[in-house]
Amino acid sequence: MDPGQGRPRSEADAADTTPDVDETNRAVPLTALLFDVCGVFYDDTGWRRWLFRLVTKMGVDTHYEAFFALFDQDYLSGSVETDTDYWEALRAYLGAIGLGRGTIDEVLAAGRPRRRDWETSLRPLPGVRATLETLATRGVPLGAACSSAIPGSSLTHRLRQLRLDTLFDRAAPEDGDCDLPQMERFDRHAQALGVAANEVGFVSGSILARQHAVGTGFRVISIASTPQEAEGVQIGRFSELVGLVQETGRHRLAG
């Protein structure tokens, strides 16, 4: 008998038969969708790009993504419920990155009416309503969350403003001030949707929100995302979501 013959192999020598998490997820059909409303249902970059151009003219030297990643995570997450909260958070942030009090006053004075105009002009992006109606009539459970603050508005109010509120389950958890979705928030959404976490596709343009979703077991979907920022499934158009989700048989009329 050769040395070692008949002895059990060590764990290091044994073939790895543990199923890969990604492979397991790919084998499980998507049966529900959770949408990060901001930036998915409507273009949320108009106000932010205007603000970024203004502060860079005032002397701030940074990149767009870095500027708002820090603002969202350290100044908006979990603390913004009203318009006053939002502007105070922005004031604190601009001061922390080096702008003087007078310059900050100028930014806020110019920004308030600009943001109000942007808020009142929001409309769903092309194809959003038609796709959501198709998904709803096929019985696909739909949920809504938000990865950036909507000062002065609840998520329900924003969906109503977009005239999309009737397409979502009334039993879904309300995000309140719409702070960045955390692990427990994703768990609540999965429970409300009535499916396992790995059957939920989370549709978001936020890298940080997608990372949180992956940590909870959700499958992430991005729309027209750049390759270096992509995780999970990428699709070119919102309407392609219809082909990703398995019908549940719980048909209902949309609207």
Side-chain angles (χ1 to χ4, degrees):
M1 178 182 294
D2 294 333
Q5 185 176 348
R7 294 184 302 179
R9 291 184 295 174
S10 68
E11 291 185 7
D13 295 331
D16 184 5
T17 58
T18 303
D20 181 82
V21 173
D22 289 339
E23 290 293 336
T24 301
N25 277 345
R26 280 194 288 269
V28 177
L30 284 177
T31 59
L33 291 171
L34 175 63
F35 294 94
D36 186 358
V37 172
C38 310
V40 172
F41 288 176
Y42 62 91
D43 181 5
D44 66 345
T45 63
W47 153 251
R48 290 190 163 212
R49 292 196 180 281
W50 180 89
L51 175 62
F52 182 73
R53 286 195 298 269
L54 181 60
V55 297
T56 52
K57 288 180 181 177
M58 299 293 191
V60 175
D61 184 15
T62 185
H63 296 287
Y64 176 89
E65 292 80 6
F67 179 83
F68 284 108
L70 183 59
F71 183 43
D72 289 343
Q73 185 168 352
D74 291 356
Y75 291 84
L76 292 186
S77 179
S79 62
V80 174
E81 298 183 7
T82 67
D83 286 328
T84 300
D85 292 336
Y86 179 86
W87 294 110
E88 287 305 311
L90 181 57
R91 177 184 292 278
Y93 179 46
L94 295 178
I97 61 177
L99 290 185
R101 180 176 298 180
T103 303
I104 295 172
D105 288 342
E106 290 182 40
V107 171
L108 269 57
R112 284 190 174 95
R114 183 78 180 203
R115 184 177 174 90
R116 280 197 300 269
D117 290 344
W118 173 78
E119 287 271 357
T120 58
S121 68
L122 292 179
R123 299 291 183 273
L125 290 167
V128 166
R129 182 171 184 86
T131 300
L132 292 176
E133 287 177 342
T134 298
L135 292 166
T137 55
R138 292 186 177 187
V140 177
L142 305 176
C146 191
S147 64
S148 60
I150 304 177
S153 300
S154 68
L155 181 55
T156 298
H157 176 84
R158 179 53 50 84
L159 290 173
R160 191 177 300 122
Q161 178 187 1
L162 297 169
R163 299 184 179 180
L164 300 174
D165 54 304
T166 57
L167 301 174
F168 291 85
D169 189 347
R170 298 298 194 280
E174 170 60 63
D175 271 2
D177 60 0
C178 295
D179 58 345
L180 183 69
Q182 301 296 329
M183 299 302 186
E184 62 272 13
R185 193 175 296 279
F186 281 112
D187 289 339
R188 288 172 54 223
H189 277 291
Q191 292 169 6
L193 291 167
V195 299
N198 65 348
E199 294 181 39
V200 180
F202 178 58
V203 188
S204 176
S206 166
I207 299 172
L208 193 56
R210 294 202 302 264
Q211 289 172 346
H212 281 302
V214 169
T216 315
F218 281 34
R219 319 258 288 280
V220 297
I221 303 170
S222 57
I223 301 173
S225 181
T226 55
Q228 63 267 27
E229 296 178 355
E231 302 132 342
V233 176
Q234 291 183 76
I235 56 177
R237 293 178 297 178
F238 192 85
S239 60
E240 293 175 31
L241 288 169
V242 174
L244 294 180
V245 187
Q246 177 174 293
E247 292 188 41
T248 65
R250 296 184 290 183
H251 293 255
R252 70 177 180 88
L253 292 176

